[in-house]
Amino acid sequence: MSVFLKFIDVKKILFFAISITGVFQLHAQSIKGIIKDAQTAQPIPGASITTPDHRIIIANDDGVFILDTTHIQTIHISSVGYSEKDIPVKTKSGTILILLEPSNYSLNEVQVTGWSVNKNDNQLTQAQSVGVLTRKDLLRTNNLFLENSLNLIPGVAMQSRSLSGGQRIIIRGYGNNTNFNGQGYQVYLNNIPITDATGTTIMDDIDFSTLGKVEVFKGPESSLYGSGIAGVVNLYTLKPEPNQTRLVQENVIGSYGLWRNNTRVEAASSNASIVFNYGHQAYDGFREHSASRKDFASFNGDFFVGDKQTISTYFSYNHSYEELAGEIDSTKLYGRKKYSDPAYLVNNSNVAVESFRMGVTDNFSISKHFSNQTTVFSTGYNLNQPFAHGLSSNQVHTFGGRTGFVYEGGIANANVHGILGAQFEKTNAFNKSYNLTNDTLGGIRGDLQNNSSAYNLFTEWKVSFPNQFIVTAGGSLNFLEYSIQDLLANSANPTHADQSGYKRFKPVFTPRIAVLKTLNNNVSLYADVSAGYTPPATSNVIITATGQTNYNLKSESGVQYEVGTKGSMLNKKLSYQLALFYLNVTNKLIATTIAATGNMPQYTMYVNAGKQQNIGGELSINYAVIRNTTSAVTLLRPFVTYTYSDFKYKNFSKYDNNKVAGVAPNRFNAGIDLETKPGLYAYATYQFVDKVPYTFDNIHYAKSYQLLGGKIGYRHALGKHFSVDAFAGADNLLNKTYYSFLFLSPSLAPGEDPHFLPGSYHATVYGGAHLAYRF
C-alpha cells in the first residue's frame, strides 16, 4: 500500500512540474529577430533593441537577437547610420525580419555600401569622398528625375538630352568626353553593370522613381571596379517594409502633361522580401516634338536561405520613347525661344529603347572569417534612333559575372577586411545606320558587328590598427579587346572601305592606397591615391574613311591625389565633409583632321594628345537644428554644398592651358528640410551654376544660372491599414533661363552655335499622392 501511495505522489509531483513548465512557456514567450540593411540585405551587427521597460539588447555579428517578449507589444530598433524604427511584436511572431533604412540626418553616419559583404562602413571611416543619397533625399523632389537629387552632391553634374533620356554624368570634370550617353564612369544597378563592355552607359531605361539609395564614388575606384577615371555610381532599388504586405499606388501630375503612375506590391517576411512595380510615365513637352513615354516593369527579391545565405534577384522590362527637338543656339536660348530644329522634326527624330535586365546575386557566409558574393547578369536592348541626318538601329546584348571572396578577421591586434575577386563582361552589338530624308528610309550606310570583352581581377585590403589608423590598399588588372566585323565589306561593295578590325589593349594595372586617421569618434582625416583608365570607344578605334584599325590608340589614364576630413560637432548636430583633390589625366583622346591627299579626301581620326589637370575642392555641411521624433517639429535641417573647379588642358593640341569645357568653376547648393510630428513637411532647394565654356578654345561661354525649387506635403497613417503622402511642388520658381544639356566642341564653325538643350523658361509645377494599403 505504501508503495502504491508513493507511486501516486510521484505522479502528482511530475504532473505539477509539467504544469508549472507549461505555465512558464505560456507566459515567457520569446522571439528571434534578424536586423538587416534594407538596401543590401546585409546583417547589421551591434544594432540596439530597446524594450518599453528600458531593457537593451545588442544584436550579434549576424544581426540576430533573441528577446523575451512577455508583456511587450513593441520594440525600438536603432543603429548608427540608420533611421530608428518601432516594430510591433505579436505573441506568435516567431522569427521576425527587421529592415533598417539608411539615415540622412548626419553626413558621416550614413552607411556606405560599396562591396557590402561583411562590411559596415559609415562615411567617417571611408578614406575617400563618397556622395550618398538615401530614399529620403530622393523624395525631396517629385522623385522622377535623378539629376534633381544627384546635382546636390558636390563634384557631380548630371545632364539629360531629353526629359528622361540621354543622361551624361560628369564627376570632378571627367565624363564629358562625349555628347551622347555616358563614358568614363561605371554605373551599377543592384550589382548589375549598366555600363557595357565598351565603356558606354545608357540610362534611358532606368526607373529612377523606384530607387532606394544612390552612391557616387568620386575618382578612380580601381581596387573594386576596374576602369573608369571619373568614378562609380551605385544604384539600389527600394525595399519593402518588414513583416507586412502592402499595395502601393503612386501618382504624380505636372506641367506640360506630365503624368507618372506606379502600382507596386511589397511583401516581407522572415524568409523573403519582394517588390513588384509597374510604372507608366507620359509627358507632352514644353517644346514642339519633345514628348516622352515610358513603361517600366520590375521585380526584385531577397530570399534569406538561413542566417548565412541571401539570394537576391532583379528582373526588369522597360520601354522608353523620347522625342528629339534638336539643340538650339545661344541667341534662341537667351531670347527664351521655344524653337525646334526643322531637320529633327521632318525626320520624326526620337530615341526608342526596348530592354530587359536580369541578375542574381548570392551572398554566402562560408565561415566565421570567409564569405562570398557572386552576381551573374544579362542585359539586352534594341535602340532605334532617327535623327536629323540619318537613322541608327542597334541591337545589343551584354552578359557576364562578378564574384568576390571576402576575408574578415584579426591579425595580431589589427582587424582585416580583404576582398579578392574578378569580373567578366561581354557585349555583342549589331550596329546599323541608314540614310533618312523627310522620314523616308534610304540606303544602308553602315552594318557593323562589334564584340567587346572586358574583364579584370581586383583586390582591396583594409587594415584597422588599434591606434585608430586605417590603411586601405589594392588594385585591379584590367583586360579589354574589341572585334569589329564590317558586313558591308563584301563582293557587292568592292569600293567600300572595310572597317573590320581587332584591337586587344595591353593589360593595365591600376593601384590604390589610402590612409585614414580617426582623431576621436567624431573626426577623421584621410589621404588617398588612386589610378584609373578609360578605354576608347569602338567607334574611335576604326578609322572610318580608310577602314584601318588604329592600333596605336591608347586608353586615357588618370591618377587622383585626394586629402580630406570628415567630422561632426555640437553633439553631432553639425556634420561636414571637406575634400581637396588633384586629378591628372594623360593620353587624352581628341579628334584630329587629316588633310586630303591624292584620291583620299579629308577625314577625321582619333589620337592621344595632351593632358587634363583637375584641381578642385568640395565642401558639404549639414546641420540638424532639430532632430527629435517626439517633438512637434521632428526635423529642421539646413544644408549647403560647394564645389570649386580649376580644371585645365595641358599640352593639349592648340588648347593648352585653357579651361576644361563643360565644367563650371563654381557650383553652390543650399536647402532646408522641415518635418513635423503631425505629418506636415516642407523642402526647399537653391542651386547656383557658374558660367561654363562650351568650346575648347574658351571663346564661347554659357551664362550662369540659378534655380529654386520646393515641395510641401502631408504624410500620415490612416488607421491600421491605410497611409497617405499627398504633396505639391515646383521647380524653377525664379523663372530663370538654363539648359538641361550642354553640347561641347573644339570650336564653332562660322555662323553656327547649336549647343543648348533648354530647360523650361518658366516655373513648372507638380502634385501627387502616394497611397498604401497594408494587409
Side-chain angles (χ1 to χ4, degrees):
M1 186 69 174
S2 60
V3 174
F4 176 77
L5 290 175
K6 289 181 180 179
F7 177 74
I8 294 295
D9 290 340
V10 170
K11 287 202 299 181
K12 288 180 178 179
I13 292 171
L14 288 174
F15 177 79
F16 179 77
I18 293 171
S19 299
I20 291 296
T21 303
V23 169
F24 277 105
Q25 287 177 338
L26 285 173
H27 293 280
Q29 299 291 334
S30 64
I31 62 167
K32 176 182 178 182
I34 304 174
I35 305 175
K36 292 177 178 284
D37 185 300
Q39 297 303 319
T40 66
Q42 292 299 305
I44 303 177
S48 297
I49 303 92
T50 305
T51 65
D53 57 357
H54 306 296
R55 284 182 294 153
I56 297 177
I57 296 175
I58 304 299
N60 66 16
D61 291 342
D62 296 319
V64 175
F65 68 91
I66 296 176
L67 176 66
D68 176 3
T69 58
T70 306
H71 306 305
I72 291 178
Q73 294 181 334
T74 62
I75 55 177
H76 183 77
I77 311 298
S78 62
S79 183
V80 174
Y82 292 91
S83 296
E84 299 178 3
K85 182 171 290 188
D86 290 319
I87 302 295
V89 176
K90 299 178 182 179
T91 304
K92 297 182 179 180
S93 293
T95 300
I96 61 173
L97 171 67
I98 300 169
L99 301 176
L100 296 185
E101 288 286 349
S103 165
N104 66 341
Y105 299 131
S106 174
L107 290 171
N108 300 312
E109 291 182 355
V110 174
Q111 298 296 303
V112 178
T113 304
W115 190 277
S116 60
V117 177
N118 287 353
K119 182 169 175 276
N120 289 274
D121 287 337
N122 58 35
Q123 287 274 25
L124 201 64
T125 59
Q126 280 285 320
Q128 61 187 134
S129 181
V130 184
V132 180
L133 299 173
T134 67
R135 178 69 174 173
K136 287 189 174 182
D137 294 316
L138 297 169
L139 290 174
R140 295 185 71 258
T141 66
N142 59 25
N143 192 35
L144 302 181
F145 314 114
L146 182 58
E147 55 266 35
N148 290 343
S149 301
L150 202 67
N151 288 341
L152 298 181
I153 298 176
V156 181
M158 181 178 180
Q159 300 177 349
S160 296
R161 289 189 65 205
S162 57
L163 179 74
S164 299
Q167 290 87 353
R168 177 179 67 189
I169 302 175
I170 301 174
I171 305 174
R172 290 184 168 176
Y174 195 89
N176 56 354
N177 302 29
T178 175
N179 289 321
F180 305 97
N181 303 314
Q183 288 185 344
Y185 51 88
Q186 299 277 337
V187 177
Y188 290 81
L189 175 63
N190 291 352
N191 214 35
I192 303 169
I194 304 300
T195 306
D196 65 23
T198 70
T200 301
T201 302
I202 295 177
M203 304 179 71
D204 294 51
D205 60 340
I206 294 180
D207 186 359
F208 298 126
S209 74
T210 59
L211 295 180
K213 185 179 181 182
V214 178
E215 295 177 342
V216 181
F217 293 81
K218 306 173 194 175
E221 186 67 9
S222 53
S223 56
L224 289 178
Y225 296 97
S227 66
I229 293 174
V232 176
V233 180
N234 281 331
L235 309 176
Y236 303 93
T237 53
L238 61 84
K239 301 295 183 179
E241 290 289 329
N243 305 303
Q244 60 182 263
T245 299
R246 297 201 313 164
L247 177 63
V248 181
Q249 186 67 219
E250 300 175 340
N251 281 279
V252 179
I253 59 173
S255 300
Y256 305 111
L258 175 65
W259 176 51
R260 175 59 195 250
N261 168 264
N262 278 335
T263 301
R264 186 163 60 250
V265 177
E266 305 174 357
S269 68
S270 60
N271 299 319
S273 67
I274 61 173
V275 176
F276 172 77
N277 189 86
Y278 169 73
H280 174 75
Q281 184 171 303
Y283 174 72
D284 295 335
F286 89 98
R287 286 200 295 163
E288 181 183 1
H289 204 73
S290 60
S292 170
R293 298 288 185 275
K294 291 182 182 289
D295 289 281
F296 304 101
S298 64
F299 170 86
N300 67 82
D302 296 314
F303 303 93
F304 309 112
V305 188
D307 297 340
K308 303 296 184 181
Q309 185 176 20
T310 301
I311 297 177
S312 302
T313 61
Y314 180 80
F315 305 94
S316 70
Y317 167 81
N318 317 283
H319 183 269
S320 170
Y321 179 84
E322 300 278 337
E323 290 182 344
L324 302 177
E327 54 269 28
I328 65 176
D329 60 32
S330 58
T331 301
K332 293 182 178 64
L333 174 70
Y334 296 111
R336 298 168 70 87
K337 303 296 184 182
K338 289 186 180 181
Y339 176 82
S340 297
D341 190 339
Y344 279 78
L345 301 183
V346 74
N347 276 347
N348 187 30
S349 300
N350 65 80
V351 180
V353 179
E354 183 178 23
S355 72
F356 76 89
R357 182 169 289 112
M358 57 187 296
V360 178
T361 298
D362 179 35
N363 288 297
F364 182 67
S365 180
I366 302 171
S367 66
K368 180 180 179 180
H369 298 294
F370 291 94
S371 58
N372 174 264
Q373 182 184 84
T374 296
T375 300
V376 292
F377 55 85
S378 178
T379 64
Y381 65 83
N382 293 330
L383 188 152
N384 194 68
Q385 181 178 351
F387 54 99
H389 309 292
L391 181 144
S392 297
S393 179
N394 302 321
Q395 292 183 326
V396 180
H397 177 228
T398 298
F399 64 93
R402 178 174 171 82
T403 188
F405 288 89
V406 178
Y407 171 79
E408 177 78 27
I411 299 178
N413 293 324
N415 183 62
V416 178
H417 182 277
I419 303 171
L420 177 63
Q423 176 173 311
F424 171 80
E425 186 177 21
K426 184 168 185 177
T427 298
N428 299 320
F430 296 87
N431 307 120
K432 295 185 178 183
S433 59
Y434 300 86
N435 293 315
L436 187 68
T437 305
N438 296 327
D439 202 23
T440 301
L441 192 64
I444 190 170
R445 62 190 189 195
D447 191 355
L448 299 178
Q449 179 177 334
N450 298 313
N451 299 311
S452 305
S453 297
Y455 41 101
N456 61 69
L457 304 173
F458 59 88
T459 187
E460 181 180 274
W461 295 84
K462 183 175 182 178
V463 183
S464 302
F465 295 98
N467 54 0
Q468 295 185 311
F469 264 107
I470 300 176
V471 178
T472 303
S476 61
L477 184 62
N478 304 273
F479 304 86
L480 178 67
E481 55 187 82
Y482 295 152
S483 176
I484 304 173
Q485 183 179 1
D486 188 348
L487 300 181
L488 290 184
N490 53 56
S491 58
N493 297 295
T495 61
H496 176 74
D498 189 354
Q499 298 181 42
S500 302
Y502 175 81
K503 169 76 172 177
R504 171 176 286 180
F505 293 85
K506 293 182 179 179
V508 178
F509 178 70
T510 51
R512 176 184 178 232
I513 186 168
V515 178
L516 181 142
K517 170 65 175 177
T518 302
L519 301 182
N520 50 46
N521 292 330
N522 298 321
V523 178
S524 65
L525 305 171
Y526 69 88
D528 178 41
V529 180
S530 58
Y533 84 109
T534 299
T538 53
S539 58
N540 302 151
V541 172
I542 302 298
I543 305 172
T544 305
T546 64
Q548 296 176 323
T549 302
N550 192 346
Y551 291 105
N552 295 322
L553 203 61
K554 300 177 182 178
S555 299
E556 293 186 358
S557 299
V559 178
Q560 177 177 271
Y561 305 86
E562 178 181 344
V563 296
T565 177
K566 305 175 184 181
S568 59
M569 56 189 68
L570 302 179
N571 197 26
K572 293 189 176 182
K573 287 188 174 182
L574 186 146
S575 55
Y576 72 89
Q577 295 179 3
L578 173 65
L580 305 174
F581 65 89
Y582 169 71
L583 174 62
N584 185 40
V585 181
T586 59
N587 294 326
K588 283 290 295 180
L589 290 169
I590 185 173
T592 185
T593 301
I594 306 300
T597 57
N599 295 327
M600 178 61 66
Q602 176 179 294
Y603 64 92
T604 299
M605 65 177 290
Y606 282 84
V607 297
N608 295 108
K611 302 177 181 179
Q612 179 177 322
Q613 294 183 354
N614 297 351
I615 300 175
E618 298 159 358
L619 175 66
S620 298
I621 299 177
N622 186 333
Y623 183 45
V625 181
I626 300 175
R627 178 186 168 189
N628 188 339
T629 57
T630 62
S631 64
V633 176
T634 57
L635 176 67
L636 179 62
R637 183 188 70 142
F639 66 87
V640 296
T641 67
Y642 171 70
T643 305
Y644 170 74
S645 305
D646 181 16
F647 302 165
K648 293 183 178 180
Y649 299 119
K650 296 292 183 180
N651 303 320
F652 193 81
S653 185
K654 56 185 176 182
Y655 310 116
D656 186 39
N657 217 40
N658 284 5
K659 295 180 179 179
V660 173
V663 179
N666 298 279
R667 296 176 68 97
F668 175 80
N669 300 301
I672 187 167
D673 297 346
L674 172 67
E675 297 178 0
T676 68
K677 191 175 183 60
L680 295 172
Y681 62 87
Y683 308 127
T685 306
Y686 168 82
Q687 182 182 41
F688 168 78
V689 177
D690 208 349
K691 65 178 183 178
V692 179
Y694 58 90
T695 55
F696 296 174
D697 58 19
N698 286 183
I699 295 176
H700 303 275
Y701 278 74
K703 296 180 181 179
S704 64
Y705 64 83
Q706 306 171 67
L707 296 176
L708 178 65
K711 178 182 179 181
I712 59 174
Y714 173 75
R715 65 171 69 98
H716 196 70
L718 306 176
K720 294 183 178 180
H721 297 287
F722 286 96
S723 61
V724 63
D725 182 358
F727 55 87
D731 295 316
N732 193 18
L733 283 167
L734 302 177
N735 297 316
K736 295 296 184 178
T737 302
Y738 72 103
Y739 49 86
S740 63
F741 195 96
L742 183 61
F743 286 79
L744 311 176
S745 63
S747 60
L748 295 185
E752 294 186 4
D753 185 20
H755 279 65
F756 301 89
L757 291 176
S760 174
Y761 299 132
H762 301 284
T764 57
V765 298
Y766 61 87
H770 297 173
L771 301 174
Y773 177 80
R774 184 176 66 184
F775 292 91

